[in-house]
Amino acid sequence: MSSVAIVTGASSGIGAATARRLAAEGFHVLAAARRTDRLAGLVKEIEAAGGTATAVACDVTSDESVAELAAAAQAAPGPITLLVNNAGGARGLDPVESGAIGDWQWMYDVNVLGTLRVTQALLPALEASGAGTIVIVSSTAGFTVYEGGGGYAAAKHAQTAIAGTLRLELCGRPVRVIEIDPGMVRTDEFGLVRFGGDADKAAATYAGVPEPLVAEDVADCIAWCATRPHHVNVDRLVVRPLAQAAQHKMHRVGQ
């Protein structure tokens, strides 16, 4: 009987890469996201590589949808031992004085309340396994602010608060809480979502940066943390590309 890992936001980017990697590590993966067509392709890819996975339609901003994810977990072919709260994203790069309330609302609902909903729904199963792990994929924006990033940083700071508080509250119970904080990661969709589909603006973020992180780098970190002996809790792992010394310090070739 395989242990089961649940990955939210699994239709692209870090979520899809994490689903592939965890399947390769021997987990049966419940790949959860809104775009079921992409999930179907991901499951086929995992199965072709010798792993096992199940696609589950899930919108983390919906209580009803998250309840359906929890029901799917109950029917999974093994104990639920790992939850990767990966669903999230950014919208806009406006200063606080002109930031769109709707963008801030969306970022809070997806990143913060999405993590809360899914964690609450799956925590009983994780604890019942006797060896549960919750991974929260936050960001370096969870501890460092920057101009134009107020809404995203606020949401990611809140995710960091969830991780730290949950770890205190679960002390003595068999569930680890791990926070992963990536810096610059180049994925197909993060920048496009942030800039409303503007491919030029999205590409400019990475201009001149030699080897930004890619989704597989973060998936590798998640898998490493999650597969340590269960008494080992990696509280927080910060990962950046070599070219990024800090949030405000980036080496760009030719600039």
Side-chain angles (χ1 to χ4, degrees):
M1 182 179 293
S2 297
S3 291
V4 176
I6 299 170
V7 181
T8 66
S11 60
S12 67
I14 292 171
T18 300
R20 294 186 198 99
R21 177 58 188 273
L22 293 176
E25 294 283 349
F27 288 91
H28 178 89
V29 177
L30 294 190
R34 292 176 296 112
R35 294 177 293 183
T36 55
D37 56 335
R38 291 199 173 206
L39 291 179
L42 175 64
V43 168
K44 287 181 180 179
E45 183 181 346
I46 288 172
E47 291 176 343
T52 62
T54 303
V56 182
C58 183
D59 178 354
V60 300
T61 69
S62 163
D63 293 345
E64 294 77 12
S65 186
V66 171
E68 291 173 1
L69 172 61
Q74 290 181 344
I80 308 299
T81 61
L82 175 59
L83 168 62
V84 181
N85 281 300
N86 168 72
R91 279 189 180 172
L93 198 61
D94 302 315
V96 171
E97 64 181 334
S98 59
I101 297 295
D103 287 345
W104 283 57
Q105 182 79 49
W106 180 86
M107 287 185 280
Y108 196 86
D109 202 11
V110 174
N111 293 281
V112 185
L113 298 183
T115 295
L116 177 62
R117 287 185 185 95
V118 175
T119 299
Q120 288 181 338
L122 274 302
L123 184 55
L126 289 160
E127 185 168 11
S129 76
T133 299
I134 297 169
V135 174
I136 295 176
V137 181
S138 184
S139 166
T140 53
F143 55 86
T144 303
V145 298
Y146 57 95
E147 295 95 329
Y152 184 61
K156 289 302 182 180
H157 272 68
Q159 272 192 303
T160 291
I162 289 174
T165 304
L166 190 60
R167 192 178 301 114
L168 292 172
E169 292 172 347
L170 294 178
C171 185
R173 294 159 65 182
V175 182
R176 301 184 292 188
V177 181
I178 296 167
E179 179 182 349
I180 307 291
D181 293 321
M184 175 177 277
V185 184
R186 183 165 196 162
T187 62
D188 292 337
E189 295 190 343
F190 182 86
L192 288 175
V193 172
R194 177 164 225 169
F195 296 111
D198 190 322
D200 291 337
K201 284 186 178 180
T205 302
Y206 311 101
V209 178
E211 296 184 292
L213 297 180
V214 294
E216 287 73 19
D217 295 321
V218 182
D220 183 49
C221 293
I222 292 170
W224 182 81
C225 291
T227 56
R228 295 310 85 205
H230 197 258
H231 71 283
V232 178
N233 197 110
V234 180
D235 285 7
R236 172 181 245 174
L237 191 155
V238 179
V239 53
R240 310 181 198 259
L242 178 61
Q244 186 181 32
Q247 207 81 346
H248 62 283
K249 179 69 172 180
M250 184 77 68
H251 173 62
R252 296 182 187 267
V253 176
Q255 297 185 29

